[in-house]
Amino acid sequence: MIVLDDAHWGDLESLAWLAAFAVRARELPVLVVLGYRPDELPDGAVEFRELVEGRSTRPIPLHALSPEAVADLVRG
């Protein structure tokens, strides 16, 4: 399992490499999980956008926690 958070902060070269790796990783017994903000991806991240907007991905949008939810996590 490979988990990468805040991918939107990556430089263009790193995002292009990641997109190429993710395509090859489909042949491996590995799960690749990417966290990113779609609105903050660099304009030139063409390969990465094609990867995350393609048919082989399953985006799961996350929403901000409410103050009550944060309090529950802290107490837990």
Side-chain angles (χ1 to χ4, degrees):
M1 180 174 183
I2 300 170
V3 179
L4 176 65
D5 194 17
D6 294 327
H8 55 279
W9 288 339
D11 59 81
L12 295 178
E13 184 176 292
S14 297
L15 293 175
W17 179 90
L18 182 60
F21 171 77
V23 171
R24 293 187 187 115
R26 292 177 184 153
E27 301 170 8
L28 303 172
V30 65
L31 171 67
V32 178
V33 178
L34 302 172
Y36 66 97
R37 295 179 182 162
D39 301 351
E40 295 183 29
L41 284 174
D43 291 333
V46 176
E47 298 92 348
F48 188 84
R49 284 184 189 278
E50 289 173 355
L51 170 72
V52 298
E53 295 171 358
R55 292 183 294 178
S56 65
T57 62
R58 292 189 294 161
I60 301 172
L62 301 177
H63 306 284
L65 293 172
S66 67
E68 295 80 20
V70 172
D72 288 344
L73 287 172
V74 170
R75 279 193 293 277

